[in-house]
Amino acid sequence: MADISGLSFFEGLGDEELARIGEQLTERNYRKNSTVVREGQESDGLYVVARGLVRVYRLHDDGRERTVALLGPGEVLGEMTLFGGELRSASAETPEGATLLFLPRAGIPNILLEVPKLAMRIIDVLSARLRESNQRVQELTFMNSRGRVICNLCRLAEAHGDSEGEEVCLPLTHAEIAKISGVSRETASKVLSQLGDIGLVRLGNRKLWVLHLDKLYQQLE
């Protein structure tokens, strides 16, 4: 049975509720650059990230990728398919090795009836995703390219860092930051270089470190 007590998605659930959910979960391990799900694929269930990161992305008609989310431990993949959608709306892969917990779609209705708090948690996730979507629309409408890169760096550092006062390491390249921010790779590289020159970020070995999150936020003012 999977141990889920330390994951934020299940925070606040009682021991019996955790045990009931844990009985239905299957642990799946993925190597670096492995595909978890593909856009347009029939949904098979819900995934919860237990270790590592998952990059969620969509493909444009011209073949370009647009990263829409970077999910860390305790975050959920596939919640949209629980409410009527039978096909995956995005693809997902593991930039590094990762462990995911899988809940089959067929067993989800019973689990939600037995553990109502889990249903509320999923609603919270859906609400958060809607807010993020609205924020991205605002960014694309009102922010220039530099602002979008910085805004996404701040968001990722907050989501995957321990505290504002510490360095945050993100397993992302220039190209991946460009995809997340909706800008060209050249633009992302230019902005990252400028931020590196003033000591706010550091890059190397396919990773990016946010060194001073509070000062990075000031670049948006």
Side-chain angles (χ1 to χ4, degrees):
M1 184 175 69
D3 180 11
I4 60 177
S5 58
L7 296 176
S8 58
F9 182 64
F10 302 106
E11 187 176 346
L13 299 182
D15 291 341
E16 291 186 4
E17 293 170 319
L18 291 173
R20 179 71 184 92
I21 297 169
E23 291 173 352
Q24 304 299 315
L25 294 171
T26 303
E27 185 174 282
R28 295 185 177 182
N29 295 303
Y30 296 85
R31 295 181 179 180
K32 181 178 180 179
N33 295 329
S34 296
T35 297
V36 180
V37 298
R38 293 188 183 278
E39 185 175 353
Q41 183 182 57
E42 185 174 352
S43 172
D44 54 353
L46 185 75
Y47 294 82
V48 181
V49 183
R51 180 185 62 83
L53 295 174
V54 174
R55 183 175 76 92
V56 183
Y57 64 95
R58 293 193 179 99
L59 286 176
H60 290 279
D61 292 338
D62 60 6
R64 290 180 300 157
E65 292 180 6
R66 171 69 192 277
T67 300
V68 296
L70 190 65
L71 307 178
E75 295 189 278
V76 180
L77 171 68
E79 74 287 345
M80 298 297 293
T81 61
L82 302 183
F83 301 93
E86 296 183 355
L87 301 180
R88 298 286 183 186
S89 60
S91 299
E93 66 175 14
T94 53
E96 298 185 335
T99 299
L100 275 63
L101 302 176
F102 175 68
L103 182 61
R105 182 172 182 172
I108 291 176
N110 287 335
I111 285 291
L112 296 183
L113 289 173
E114 295 174 14
V115 188
K117 288 181 182 178
L118 185 62
M120 294 303 300
R121 193 59 49 83
I122 291 175
I123 292 173
D124 289 341
V125 170
L126 289 168
S127 298
R129 296 280 161 82
L130 179 58
R131 288 194 299 270
E132 291 172 4
S133 178
N134 289 337
Q135 184 175 353
R136 286 181 179 275
V137 171
Q138 290 183 339
E139 290 171 10
L140 290 172
T141 303
F142 300 109
M143 280 189 173
N144 58 23
S145 296
R146 183 176 186 276
R148 294 206 297 272
V149 172
I150 294 174
C151 190
N152 278 281
L153 285 177
C154 290
R155 182 188 297 118
L156 291 168
E158 274 199 346
H160 302 289
D162 295 327
S163 70
E164 293 186 5
E166 299 179 0
E167 296 182 5
V168 179
C169 180
L170 302 170
L172 297 171
T173 63
H174 289 215
E176 287 163 340
I177 287 293
K179 292 173 184 176
I180 292 172
S181 305
V183 302
S184 67
R185 187 187 186 283
E186 292 74 17
T187 297
S189 296
K190 181 179 179 180
V191 175
L192 292 172
S193 178
Q194 292 171 346
L195 296 175
D197 289 342
I198 58 178
L200 297 184
V201 302
R202 185 175 75 249
L203 297 107
N205 194 28
R206 297 183 61 82
K207 294 182 179 180
L208 184 152
W209 285 263
V210 175
L211 306 180
H212 301 285
L213 181 56
D214 54 345
K215 294 181 180 179
L216 188 60
Y217 266 116
Q218 292 174 10
Q219 296 294 308
L220 293 171
E221 297 175 356

